[in-house]
Amino acid sequence: MAGTGGRNVELKAVTEIKLADAIGQLRALPVRLSDGEPPKILTVHSAVFDVDPYREMFFFPSDTLHLTLFDSSGDVLWTRDLGPGVVPGLWFCPVFAFDLDRDGAEEIWLVDNVNDQHPLGLSGYRLERLDARTGKTTGQWPWPSNPMQPLSHVFRNFIVGGYVRAEPVLVTAQGTYEDMHFQAWLPDMRPRWEKSIAGDAPGARGSHMCPVTDLDGDGTEELMWGERCIELDAGVELFCADRHEYRGHSDVVEPVFDAVAGRWYIYTCRESEQKTAPRVNLYDEHGERVWGAVDEGHIDMGWVARVGEGGRKIASAIRIGEKTCGPDGRFHTDMTEFTFDAMAGEPVELGWSTYRTVPVDLDGDGVHEFVRGRASGDGEVIDCRGERICEIGGAVAMASKFLDAPGEQLLSYHADGTVRIWADANAEDSPEAKLRYGHPYYQANQALTATGYNLVALGGL
């Protein structure tokens, strides 16, 4: 039975580390150095805000991108400066932890550039593998690219991973809005399969989220690439929801699990083709629409979380009029907020704003609390009724269980270069919460927080 939703949360900073003189952007992900050992924490950070490839948001950075691995006590194991050839932006340089060679230690995978003099020189881009224990490079492979596209389209890089009957498969991908390309890798780095989707092909484009899960329960996981479901064994597209009705791009793609029915669903919020209705959708595991809402507009943010009575899942969606992004941060105007019963699609009135919020079950009772932790957020923490718990004073790069402690934790970063890990001193995991934390989907998608806007993707479980 779900609990009280944050009534007794006592949030404390359990770890504090000074990473740099300043932090403008930071991503974080758990990294396992051996089986049975608590994960370390990898941060990907720079003094400048995230550089976006869209020409109206791009700016010339005054700092480089850095990697720092540390443990839960704040002790640094290693740090590395990627140098002037790597643009410090999420879509230029995704970072992912994945044990492809099955030795019990995850490798760190990223997009590097061997040409320090030309940060936009695609010929120097490489898929790079690091030894997570040392930060040293252990392999490089040419990174595919298609230069005959606008700047915003060509620099859209992804690295994800999943399993085919317990066998690991690494997937690299390029593109979001037009042509889209995929390469799957075997443990010895030979190609497993390749796939391309032309810019004029029917069906939806990609997304800023790329969750991986086993939708049909057959032991082979699938990648949700926008509304397209691609199985990892041979790269076969199992479905593309609304293939002949929608050719745009969704900002949010989040798997949602109905524990009662034992079924997966897919929740999406659409950005482009703003006159194509509906803008907010729930699909079943075959790509058939269960419900849709909102007739038009750019839906930029959204999540599914356990907010309702008894932990009932609620879906949030935010329509915006305009978005600006640059050295000073990311901001939105003319916002309209929508909330729905996630399974039925009926409108629900929460009574509080979901703007910049990320769901997190701090006390482990099965009901989510929320932190206004998206980039440029102030770090206000509220319960499921919108009542203020506290404020942590910064944006959040992780909101999940990454410590060996009850409840989920937060990792916040601050302009003065400080990173803090927050935990609830009164947390106690319910049996339902323990099942959720141990689910393969939960474990796998924590590592995607440094690959896409995937901070909210765990709330649907």
Side-chain angles (χ1 to χ4, degrees):
M1 181 70 178
T4 56
R7 291 180 188 266
N8 301 310
V9 169
E10 184 182 355
L11 206 58
K12 293 183 178 296
V14 297
T15 302
E16 181 173 312
I17 178 174
K18 180 80 168 178
L19 279 187
D21 292 332
I23 295 178
Q25 63 169 282
L26 186 140
R27 296 171 259 155
L29 63 160
V31 179
R32 294 193 177 275
L33 302 188
S34 66
D35 285 334
E37 179 184 352
K40 311 303 181 188
I41 298 166
L42 179 69
T43 54
V44 185
H45 56 97
S46 177
V48 299
F49 193 74
D50 183 62
V51 182
D52 193 285
Y54 176 49
R55 64 182 180 274
E56 299 296 334
M57 297 180 179
F58 180 87
F59 61 92
F60 291 106
S62 57
D63 188 32
T64 53
L65 197 62
H66 306 261
L67 307 180
T68 302
L69 187 77
F70 60 92
D71 62 21
S72 59
S73 299
D75 295 328
V76 174
L77 281 72
W78 55 263
T79 187
R80 178 166 171 173
D81 185 341
L82 294 183
V86 175
V87 179
L90 173 67
W91 307 121
F92 292 94
C93 179
V95 180
F96 183 57
F98 191 61
D99 184 11
L100 184 61
D101 60 11
R102 294 177 286 187
D103 68 350
E106 292 181 318
E107 305 87 53
I108 296 171
W109 304 86
L110 58 92
V111 176
D112 202 351
N113 183 7
V114 298
N115 188 343
D116 281 348
Q117 294 185 342
H118 298 99
L120 303 182
L122 293 169
S123 62
Y125 278 45
R126 301 287 186 269
L127 170 64
E128 185 160 324
R129 182 184 63 203
L130 308 184
D131 184 333
R133 291 172 288 254
T134 65
K136 303 296 184 183
T137 300
T138 61
Q140 287 183 334
W141 298 266
W143 183 261
S145 62
N146 179 5
M148 304 306 292
Q149 295 185 88
L151 181 73
S152 179
H153 294 188
V154 70
F155 292 102
R156 298 285 171 173
N157 300 320
F158 297 82
I159 307 174
V160 299
Y163 293 87
V164 174
R165 295 175 293 277
E167 180 183 355
V169 179
L170 185 75
V171 178
T172 53
Q174 305 82 36
T176 297
Y177 305 112
E178 289 186 350
D179 296 341
M180 301 177 290
H181 306 278
F182 308 82
Q183 308 84 37
W185 303 85
L186 294 163
D188 61 4
M189 295 308 294
R190 288 182 296 118
R192 182 180 180 119
W193 52 262
E194 295 185 1
K195 181 182 182 68
S196 292
I197 300 171
D200 59 357
R205 302 296 93 191
S207 175
H208 299 320
M209 289 178 162
C210 43
V212 174
T213 190
D214 186 0
L215 286 178
D216 52 15
D218 66 351
T220 294
E221 291 189 315
E222 295 87 32
L223 165 66
M224 288 305 306
W225 189 261
E227 283 81 351
R228 296 175 189 269
C229 178
I230 301 172
E231 57 86 26
L232 295 185
D233 188 11
V236 174
E237 185 178 295
L238 301 183
F239 66 78
C240 179
D242 292 339
R243 179 187 299 275
H244 300 293
E245 290 78 35
Y246 185 62
R247 295 180 60 175
H249 147 82
S250 289
D251 268 342
V252 174
V253 175
E254 182 171 0
V256 179
F257 187 66
D258 183 349
V260 175
R263 295 179 60 186
W264 283 101
Y265 296 83
I266 305 296
Y267 176 65
T268 70
C269 298
R270 293 174 169 175
E271 174 185 346
S272 56
E273 291 193 0
Q274 296 179 17
K275 296 294 185 180
T276 302
R279 309 302 296 164
V280 181
N281 294 280
L282 186 78
Y283 302 99
D284 67 15
E285 72 272 34
H286 306 296
E288 299 297 325
R289 186 187 301 139
V290 177
W291 61 263
V294 186
D295 290 337
E296 63 180 11
H298 173 178
I299 310 297
D300 191 83
M301 292 164 281
W303 45 248
V304 175
R306 298 168 178 264
V307 187
E309 184 177 352
R312 181 169 56 112
K313 290 187 177 71
I314 301 297
S316 163
I318 300 180
R319 182 172 60 197
I320 66 168
E322 185 178 359
K323 176 169 58 178
T324 59
C325 183
D328 55 343
R330 184 178 293 114
F331 305 96
H332 308 85
T333 61
D334 300 326
M335 293 177 295
T336 306
E337 300 186 17
F338 305 91
T339 46
F340 308 93
D341 180 299
M343 306 315 300
E346 299 169 354
V348 172
E349 180 58 53
L350 289 183
W352 49 272
S353 171
T354 63
Y355 182 54
R356 294 199 191 279
T357 57
V358 176
V360 56
D361 185 5
L362 293 167
D363 55 10
D365 70 349
V367 175
H368 281 103
E369 291 77 48
F370 297 84
V371 57
R372 298 194 191 279
R374 290 176 64 102
S376 302
D378 61 9
E380 181 189 31
V381 181
I382 59 177
D383 65 17
C384 62
R385 295 167 296 280
E387 296 177 4
R388 188 179 186 275
I389 296 174
C390 65
E391 187 173 305
I392 60 175
V396 168
M398 279 203 296
S400 61
K401 181 185 280 293
F402 54 89
L403 297 184
D404 185 16
E408 293 183 327
Q409 296 85 41
L410 298 172
L411 186 146
S412 66
Y413 58 97
H414 306 264
D416 66 356
T418 302
V419 169
R420 296 184 178 95
I421 297 175
W422 304 83
D424 175 19
N426 301 321
E428 183 177 347
D429 288 330
S430 66
E432 294 85 358
K434 291 178 181 178
L435 287 174
R436 178 170 172 260
Y437 303 148
H439 196 282
Y441 172 77
Y442 188 98
Q443 295 292 323
N445 287 272
Q446 285 188 87
L448 288 172
T449 56
T451 300
Y453 293 151
N454 223 25
L455 271 176
V456 300
L458 299 175
L461 182 61

